[in-house]
Amino acid sequence: MTAYTSILQITDMHILPGPDDTLLGVNTEHYFHAILEHAFANYQHFDLILVTGDLAQDPCPASYLRILNRLEACNTPCICLPGNHDDYDLMQQILNTRLVNCRKQISMENWQLICLNSQKPGDVPEGRLSQQELLFIEDCLISKPDRHALIAVHHHCLKTNGFMDTMMIENSQDFLAIINKYPQIKAVTTGHIHQVMDITIGTVRVLGAPSTCFQFKPESETFSVETAAPGYRLIRLYADGRLESEIIRLPGQLKGLQINNQGY
Ligand SMILES: [Fe+2]
């Protein structure tokens, strides 16, 4: 029996309508599968898979059904939350099984996982936490005051010092005020930035994970992708509130990437 809860965080798969389709020259589906194969080959067991948004690039039932089938094959509980590219209604309809779903509050040993929807209405890349989402965080914390909390949300709440900072949670000050108010919150983990973040503010660890497909060049003022390898984040939650986390990358560089400075 493990002395901790182990989470595999994957993010920003950007799955396309067809399994052989490519985005910026990259077969995103191939790398989504490669990441899961690598993680399970090297670590065998996870208590939870956490998928932090942008599951689909152009959301359609076929994309979410293939994602569902691949995640179901892991035979591991899996929680998905939406990114700016996702169709949350469609996600919730299709990713809706006993193992794979979009639940927002999950109990794990002495912890709870709180999953947020940071989509801003209007199909825009930046994020926002609605008043409803901010209240939801507080409700979760107040209803389970003895549990440590990990918050998962697609958009980032701290600056990366690059072009992605025009697309962060626009009311992140409201979010950070809640983080400061509740000492049960031990960490926040995000997707969206397609690069690593690991910043500690007070006693809270603020994490970001690489994408399972292409990465954005850190600290670039303009849109820029790079051939750094796809990766994932491991998170271990200990009953006493400690958290360990590390980034794992696939061996070698990303294949097929067509450098494009215009966006995707
Ligand atoms: Fe993304």
Side-chain angles (χ1 to χ4, degrees):
M1 191 179 133
T2 50
Y4 52 78
T5 299
S6 64
I7 298 176
L8 165 63
Q9 182 190 357
I10 63 172
T11 197
D12 293 82
M13 295 109 75
H14 291 271
I15 297 299
L16 296 149
D20 300 321
D21 294 347
T22 59
L23 181 63
L24 295 180
V26 176
N27 183 324
T28 57
E29 186 132 341
H30 164 81
Y31 280 106
F32 165 47
H33 292 192
I35 284 284
L36 289 174
E37 283 159 20
H38 189 275
F40 278 87
N42 285 278
Y43 300 95
Q44 284 84 44
H45 170 83
F46 298 99
D47 295 302
L48 183 80
I49 302 171
L50 172 62
V51 189
T52 47
D54 282 0
L55 284 68
Q57 168 68 13
D58 304 311
C60 64
S63 302
Y64 288 125
L65 280 167
R66 294 201 313 279
I67 292 168
L68 174 67
N69 288 339
R70 184 60 189 86
L71 291 171
E72 284 270 342
C74 295
N75 203 23
T76 300
C78 177
I79 297 295
C80 304
L81 59 84
N84 46 296
H85 284 275
D86 288 306
D87 179 329
Y88 194 26
D89 287 340
L90 195 55
M91 258 181 79
Q92 288 173 301
Q93 278 172 36
I94 295 176
L95 305 175
N96 187 22
T97 66
R98 183 182 62 83
L99 269 184
V100 180
N101 56 65
C102 303
R103 281 191 298 142
K104 287 172 62 70
Q105 185 182 23
I106 296 93
S107 295
M108 302 172 300
E109 295 285 331
N110 290 4
W111 287 74
Q112 64 171 321
L113 170 65
I114 301 169
C115 295
L116 303 178
N117 171 10
S118 57
Q119 285 186 328
K120 183 180 169 182
D123 195 20
V124 290
E126 66 267 29
R128 180 170 187 85
L129 289 172
S130 67
Q131 202 57 31
Q132 187 183 343
E133 288 299 286
L134 294 171
L135 288 171
F136 173 72
I137 304 170
E138 296 206 74
D139 285 347
C140 290
L141 296 166
I142 291 166
S143 69
K144 298 187 186 298
D146 299 333
R147 288 178 182 266
H148 312 292
L150 168 65
I151 296 179
V153 56
H154 179 66
H155 293 80
H156 53 307
C157 62
L158 296 178
K159 284 190 160 69
T160 63
N161 299 319
F163 71 93
M164 287 303 289
D165 292 345
T166 59
M167 307 175 209
M168 57 192 285
I169 296 173
E170 63 182 13
N171 59 334
S172 60
Q173 289 309 319
D174 297 337
F175 182 48
L176 293 171
I178 292 174
I179 290 172
N180 282 328
K181 186 173 162 189
Y182 293 91
Q184 304 100 298
I185 301 173
K186 298 295 190 280
V188 177
T189 195
T190 66
H192 193 47
I193 55 177
H194 292 228
Q195 60 193 275
V196 178
M197 176 182 281
D198 193 342
I199 299 171
T200 300
I201 48 168
T203 58
V204 181
R205 194 128 167 231
V206 180
L207 304 169
S211 163
T212 61
C213 54
F214 51 80
Q215 314 307 323
F216 296 147
K217 193 171 181 184
E219 302 197 3
S220 171
E221 287 181 11
T222 54
F223 178 85
S224 188
V225 287
E226 60 174 16
T227 56
Y232 54 92
R233 182 176 279 286
L234 303 180
I235 301 174
R236 301 182 196 96
L237 307 177
Y238 291 86
D240 62 3
R242 280 180 305 121
L243 173 150
E244 290 176 352
S245 187
E246 62 187 302
I247 296 292
I248 309 293
R249 302 255 186 189
L250 294 183
Q253 290 197 320
L254 183 68
K255 292 198 179 82
L257 183 67
Q258 294 160 357
I259 301 292
N260 173 336
N261 295 326
Q262 306 303 313
Y264 65 99

